[in-house]
Amino acid sequence: MNIRLAPSILAADFAALGDAVAAAEQGGADLIHVDVMDGHFVPNLTVGPLVVRSLKRVARVPIDVHLMITDPDRYAEAFAKAGASMVSVHVEVLPHLNRTVAFLKELGVKAGVAINPATPLASLEEIAPDVDYVLVMSVNPGFGGQAFLPRTESKIRSLRAMLDAAGNAAPIEVDGGIDLGTVGSVVGAGAEILVAGSSIFHTPDIAAAARALRSAAERAATPAGRTR
Ligand code: DX5
Ligand code: ZN
């Protein structure tokens, strides 16, 4: 397993994003997760490509953009140009997901498909061979600081089996309510990219919180700590 920690700046101080990124990187962040919300697909508004462009100037690790928007086909290119290395789009809004995934790859970014808690995994079956990663939502998207939904664990396990059966070693990313209490179970189930907002940025020492979460994930990924 290749554990990667992706701190979500949604929980950071937007007046000091550069400092937040630096602290997260100091604590071992492998990616910086940016939550893009349009007020339609989710009941909240956040940031656009301009902010990604600024983050790109200061970040030393790749930027992972999570598009919680109804029309990702329209905006994906702007995020790629702004410096995103990974872009995920929601299966719930895309009738031609195959085309969108191919388009993301043409843009030169890693193509991720995100899936909400209530969306069945079957909606990913046909695209499973083609994705670069799958983002499993472990809360209903829109806000940080929500409680982890425990059913996510079995969903990750089934998704890992589905990807393996499709011959695709693409990593699974998990997003929402990830902290020291939940990280072990999702890693044990097969998640490799761990998004965490509140548990990193709503703490007195961002670097220390990131470091602790990353080591807990690494411990759960070692054969002795694995539950599968
Ligand atoms: C939720 C976002 C998440 C969120 C995670 O809509 O996609 O990335 O910021 O935040 P926490 O870790 O606070 O649940
Ligand atoms: Zn996210």
Side-chain angles (χ1 to χ4, degrees):
M1 289 185 104
N2 175 21
I3 294 294
R4 280 178 279 172
L5 182 65
S8 163
I9 55 146
L10 185 63
D13 175 3
F14 273 55
L17 282 185
D19 295 343
V21 167
E25 287 175 343
Q26 208 198 324
D30 301 277
L31 303 165
I32 296 297
H33 186 83
V34 180
D35 287 305
V36 177
M37 305 185 186
D38 67 352
H40 293 277
F41 179 62
V42 290
N44 198 3
L45 291 161
T46 56
V47 300
L50 268 179
V51 173
V52 171
R53 186 181 304 280
S54 296
L55 288 172
K56 180 68 186 165
R57 260 194 308 113
V58 297
R60 285 177 303 188
V61 298
I63 296 178
D64 165 32
V65 171
H66 177 193
L67 295 180
M68 285 161 278
I69 65 179
T70 49
D71 196 356
D73 289 325
R74 180 166 169 194
Y75 296 103
E77 185 169 7
F79 285 99
K81 285 194 169 144
S85 299
M86 300 165 66
V87 174
S88 57
V89 295
H90 270 265
V91 60
E92 294 83 7
V93 297
L94 290 162
H96 311 294
L97 188 52
N98 225 286
R99 185 184 288 154
T100 305
V101 163
F103 176 54
L104 291 173
K105 289 180 176 177
E106 274 166 34
L107 291 172
V109 298
K110 293 281 183 214
V113 173
I115 180 164
N116 279 340
T119 306
L121 276 184
S123 59
L124 295 180
E125 209 160 319
E126 303 302 326
I127 199 80
D130 302 316
V131 292
D132 289 325
Y133 63 103
V134 177
L135 186 162
V136 175
M137 285 306 308
S138 38
V139 298
N140 289 290
F143 303 94
Q146 304 181 77
F148 175 82
L149 297 170
R151 242 196 82 75
T152 312
E153 192 186 329
S154 61
K155 199 173 189 183
I156 292 171
R157 246 174 245 284
S158 308
L159 173 61
R160 185 67 267 158
M162 181 193 283
L163 289 167
D164 289 347
N168 191 349
I172 296 173
E173 178 169 25
V174 62
D175 185 356
I178 300 301
D179 58 20
L180 288 173
T182 54
V183 74
S185 74
V186 295
V187 170
E192 293 179 81
I193 307 176
L194 309 158
V195 177
S198 315
S199 67
I200 291 179
F201 292 108
H202 292 176
T203 65
D205 187 338
I206 294 168
R211 206 171 294 123
L213 193 56
R214 206 180 181 294
S215 358
E218 288 286 0
R219 275 197 305 277
T222 59
R226 297 282 298 274
T227 55
R228 78 164 176 158

